[in-house]
Amino acid sequence: MNTCPFFGKCGGCRFDFTAADYRDKKMAALHGVGPTDDAIWVAPGDRRRVDFCFAGGEFGMFAAGSKDIVPVRTCPNAAPQINAILPKLAAMPWVGAGAALVTLCENGIDVAITSNVPYCSAEFKRAADTVDAIRITWNGRVIKQTATPIIKFGDVAVEYPTGAFLQPGRPGEDAIRRMVADAATGARHVADLFCGLGNFTHALHADGFDITGPHCRRDLFKNPVTPGMLKQYDCVVMDPPRAGADAQSKILAKSDVKRIIYVSCNPATFARDAETLKRGGYKIIRLVPVDQFVGSTHWEIFSVFEK
């Protein structure tokens, strides 16, 4: 029996994570990746960022395969702190259509709203003051803030920019960071590509490159790290978005970097980039899938390549 009353109605989950065959079905979504080590499974009910939607005054999640909205007032996959504010959030005077990204930070809830309506109403601003969130933004503009949202990566605290990428849950994020740090043991100089806010950068004392975050600003899709720059690194970490790292992988394949640690959230683009690296002489020595996106078809894939 499903414990989630919305499974099969809302489009939030593809698989019933309470079902006996959940792991078998989820593993089938890894087709094309190749042989893997034992998967790391993350328990449901601890997701710290959840995308909700609104339209026609309704708030919830899109129904599977449609733009109809299923009212969701508690999500079994979400952290308790997010569920605690959902009723008040859903009752706000929503206008237009858009999305609300709700993120549990170290010091409270952040709500990032994107809407086809440029500005929110005065009524909505008044309602925002009654929601137990430390920051609420509307199309990037702050409409309520009582504190600066903070995220921690291990013991390192960083400010959280509204709408910035985060792993959906802390347990899976911590497991991946530990594997990355272990795989980088012995490296003298590490480059962290697509580093975001620095989940791996701080732990590895690495040089971080990305278009966001407190590190070197560099668009690695248009301007990948060059062969000359790579000569100073004996280890490279990559954690790109779903589009993968096509341009950067082609350059890495021609480099002399001894070890590449690749964390991917898309089996298809990972398989493409892995083939590029293999053609350049790299071999996969470890491949671990992590069920970071519980209930969905998505995986985080941790891998280590060596030349």
Side-chain angles (χ1 to χ4, degrees):
M1 178 180 293
N2 299 333
T3 58
C4 177
F6 304 109
F7 182 73
K9 299 176 182 178
C10 91
C13 290
R14 177 72 176 273
F15 305 122
D16 175 14
F17 51 78
T18 70
D21 62 351
Y22 167 66
R23 293 188 177 186
D24 290 336
K25 288 183 176 180
K26 185 70 186 262
M27 286 298 293
L30 273 174
H31 59 83
V33 172
T36 66
D37 295 340
D38 290 341
I40 294 176
W41 298 97
V42 177
D46 198 32
R47 190 175 175 107
R48 68 176 173 186
R49 59 191 277 120
V50 184
D51 267 306
F52 296 94
C53 57
F54 59 92
E58 293 287 337
F59 177 93
M61 291 187 176
F62 286 126
S66 82
K67 294 295 184 180
D68 295 334
I69 292 181
V70 178
V72 174
R73 303 298 177 262
T74 183
C75 173
N77 214 2
Q81 297 93 324
I82 291 178
N83 282 326
I85 74 162
L86 280 186
K88 185 65 73 73
L89 197 61
M92 295 178 72
W94 295 97
V95 294
L101 175 62
V102 182
T103 303
L104 174 61
C105 301
E106 291 292 327
N107 53 340
I109 297 286
D110 181 70
V111 182
I113 300 164
T114 54
S115 173
N116 61 352
V117 178
Y119 301 97
C120 70
S121 66
E123 180 187 12
F124 193 91
K125 286 183 179 180
R126 288 192 295 270
D129 288 334
T130 70
V131 176
D132 189 18
I134 59 175
R135 184 175 64 189
I136 300 178
T137 58
W138 185 283
N139 288 337
R141 298 178 180 88
V142 176
I143 62 174
K144 174 191 176 177
Q145 184 163 354
T146 59
T148 299
I150 298 295
I151 291 292
K152 278 189 174 181
F153 301 120
D155 295 329
V156 178
V158 299
E159 294 186 7
Y160 174 64
T162 182
F165 173 77
L166 280 179
Q167 290 285 350
R170 281 284 296 274
E173 177 183 83
D174 291 346
I176 295 168
R177 185 171 58 253
R178 286 192 295 268
M179 288 192 292
V180 169
D182 181 65
T185 299
R188 298 184 304 276
H189 199 184
V190 180
D192 185 8
L193 310 184
F194 307 96
C195 66
L197 299 179
N199 180 27
F200 308 131
T201 319
H202 302 292
L204 301 174
H205 304 289
D207 295 339
F209 298 85
D210 209 337
I211 58 174
T212 61
H215 309 284
C216 178
R217 299 298 177 92
R218 192 180 184 95
D219 185 338
L220 296 173
F221 291 107
K222 298 178 181 179
N223 190 22
V225 174
T226 65
M229 295 174 65
L230 287 171
K231 289 180 180 179
Q232 62 184 302
Y233 300 108
D234 55 347
C235 179
V236 166
V237 177
M238 294 197 297
D239 185 8
R242 290 189 60 75
D246 187 30
Q248 188 66 74
S249 294
K250 290 175 179 176
I251 291 176
L252 279 166
K254 300 176 182 178
S255 77
D256 294 321
V257 175
K258 295 180 180 179
R259 184 176 304 159
I260 298 171
I261 304 168
Y262 191 161
V263 179
S264 169
C265 60
N266 186 341
T269 54
F270 171 79
R272 177 200 66 200
D273 296 342
E275 283 303 313
T276 298
L277 295 175
K278 289 176 184 177
R279 287 195 297 270
Y282 286 93
K283 295 181 179 180
I284 296 180
I285 64 169
R286 194 173 182 203
L287 187 62
V288 182
V290 182
D291 187 20
Q292 181 69 313
F293 305 88
V294 177
S296 77
T297 58
H298 303 315
W299 285 90
E300 281 288 300
I301 301 169
F302 165 83
S303 63
V304 182
F305 295 77
E306 285 190 351
K307 179 183 280 189

